Amino acid sequence: MEWRVVPKAGYNIKGIWISGFHRRLTLKNLMFPVKLTISLMQSLGIITKFDPHIVISCGGYVAGPIGWVASKRGYTLVIQEQNSYPGVTNRLLGKNAELIFTAFEDANQYFPEQKTKVTGNPTRSELTEADHEVAYKAFGFDPQQRTMLVLGGSGGARSINEAMAANIKKLHHEQKLQIIWQCGSTYFDKYRNEVDEDRLPNLKLIDFLQNMDQAYAVADLVVSRAGALSCSELALTGKPSILAPSPNVAGDHQTKNARSMADAGAAILAKDAELKSTLAELVEQLINDHDRLKAMQEAALAKAKPNAANDIATEILKLIESKEDT
């Protein structure tokens, strides 16, 4: 996605030849030493040519070679850790970083205390700016009826989609919900053919949501994965949620993100493998319990860090200025 989004935003982007190291025994790991060696050489070329004032790692294996080369060449390294459980790359780079921004307090234990600041994740401020009346009209929904928003990311989430397909009639007919189901581009054709939208007038089946601000505005309850940015957006918008963490991510960090939200009272943690059988019951328990939804909303808002982007940028600029003064 970044190869489309970054140039569109007006910034240059460079690639290095690296991939993640598989933790299970696989022939793919045989190429890892070669890729690592080449990526370190590429990183050295990028760093030397660009000569940055500062290098920022947001984690992921692609950040490893660049961050390591930068620190060894004497460049100032900063980390922005999005998850409650840091990945291997940021944990390793944290030893050489001068400043570490975390989104969840749970992550602080993995980094040197004197370097760490809890700032939250940068989020889009416009997510909270939608006009509610306009938003309901955009989806053709009734403000007096309960609305559920289902998110699976741009590609979609298989287990969430399967759970929705298995329970759609219960949720729509029996619980009388208005539903925005963002199934992802990968699954859109499949469910468009399988789900009879003519018999489900209050269902909006969408591959990708362009108007996320309006979707959040009308949602009384959100069903979602538990990626770091998803959790941050749910906190920012104060949305009660049922979180079904993906089991296919490194370090099982989505489960840790979801548990952090659930422990705060902002979400319900649902097991991915059991979602098909539990989804309708979980929704029914929450959707008409006004007091509980209100409490979850307040708990979500309490975890929000709406000024994260500005706070991080300000601290980075201060660090650059302090280096120039010395």
Side-chain angles (χ1 to χ4, degrees):
M1 183 183 293
E2 58 267 29
W3 288 95
R4 296 192 309 272
V5 175
V6 174
K8 187 177 179 181
Y11 297 98
N12 293 327
I13 183 169
K14 298 283 186 182
I16 58 175
W17 192 44
I18 189 64
S19 61
F21 185 83
H22 296 268
R23 301 182 190 193
R24 56 186 174 81
L25 192 61
T26 171
L27 291 175
K28 293 179 181 179
N29 284 338
L30 293 177
M31 285 298 294
F32 181 77
V34 178
K35 289 183 178 181
L36 180 60
T37 301
I38 292 176
S39 69
L40 287 171
M41 294 170 61
Q42 291 173 322
S43 297
L44 178 60
I46 292 170
I47 289 290
T48 302
K49 184 176 181 180
F50 190 66
D51 192 24
H53 290 89
I54 202 157
V55 176
I56 305 167
S57 167
C58 294
Y61 56 79
V62 73
I66 286 281
W68 187 83
V69 167
S71 65
K72 294 303 178 185
R73 297 285 290 181
Y75 289 93
T76 302
L77 178 64
V78 166
I79 285 174
Q80 197 263 319
E81 176 52 54
Q82 300 175 6
N83 294 290
S84 62
Y85 179 70
V88 173
T89 298
N90 271 354
R91 293 205 306 274
L92 291 173
L93 293 180
K95 300 170 186 176
N96 297 316
E98 295 197 30
L99 197 54
I100 301 165
F101 301 107
T102 58
F104 298 87
E105 289 187 7
D106 308 31
N108 290 7
Q109 61 185 298
Y110 301 99
F111 297 114
E113 182 180 356
Q114 69 277 12
K115 298 180 179 180
T116 307
K117 293 178 180 288
V118 182
T119 56
N121 282 320
T123 47
R124 297 169 286 176
S125 59
E126 64 267 21
L127 290 178
T128 61
E129 296 171 358
D131 181 289
H132 282 67
E133 185 177 344
V134 173
Y136 277 105
K137 286 181 179 178
F139 290 105
F141 284 168
D142 180 356
Q144 303 305 314
Q145 229 175 306
R146 290 291 182 178
T147 302
M148 182 171 76
L149 171 62
V150 182
L151 301 173
S154 58
R158 181 179 56 80
S159 59
I160 292 179
N161 285 334
E162 289 177 352
M164 283 299 298
N167 292 279
I168 190 65
K169 291 181 180 177
K170 282 184 181 179
L171 296 167
H172 185 281
H173 295 336
E174 296 177 21
Q175 298 186 28
K176 302 188 183 306
L177 296 178
Q178 300 174 140
I179 302 167
I180 303 169
W181 176 8
Q182 186 256 310
C183 63
S185 55
T186 307
Y187 298 94
F188 182 65
D189 288 338
K190 169 182 171 64
Y191 290 106
R192 182 174 55 180
N193 293 327
E194 289 184 8
V195 175
D196 188 354
E197 290 186 80
D198 290 337
R199 297 190 178 186
L200 301 164
N202 287 327
L203 168 67
K204 305 299 178 188
L205 182 67
I206 300 170
D207 57 347
F208 183 78
L209 274 165
Q210 300 287 352
N211 53 338
M212 278 299 301
D213 56 337
Q214 293 180 327
Y216 278 125
V218 302
D220 296 292
L221 179 66
V222 179
V223 178
S224 175
R225 286 300 197 202
L229 294 183
S230 294
C231 291
S232 295
E233 288 184 357
L234 290 168
L236 180 73
T237 55
K239 294 302 169 181
S241 57
I242 296 172
L243 299 176
S246 170
N248 305 313
V249 293
D252 197 24
H253 65 255
Q254 285 203 11
T255 295
K256 297 175 177 69
N257 292 345
R259 187 167 291 120
S260 178
M261 296 287 284
D263 288 347
I268 298 294
L269 174 56
K271 291 184 178 179
D272 181 77
E274 300 173 2
L275 192 62
K276 188 183 293 186
S277 61
T278 61
L279 179 62
E281 183 180 349
L282 288 172
V283 172
E284 188 173 18
Q285 288 174 7
L286 293 174
I287 200 69
N288 291 311
D289 189 337
H290 301 276
D291 291 339
R292 189 171 184 189
L293 286 179
K294 180 66 174 175
M296 292 175 74
Q297 177 188 38
E298 292 173 353
L301 288 170
K303 288 185 72 66
K305 304 284 186 183
N307 298 317
N310 185 69
D311 291 345
I312 291 170
T314 299
E315 291 294 333
I316 287 172
L317 290 172
K318 284 181 182 177
L319 184 58
I320 293 173
E321 289 172 2
S322 70
K323 294 292 181 181
E324 290 179 341
D325 290 341
T326 56

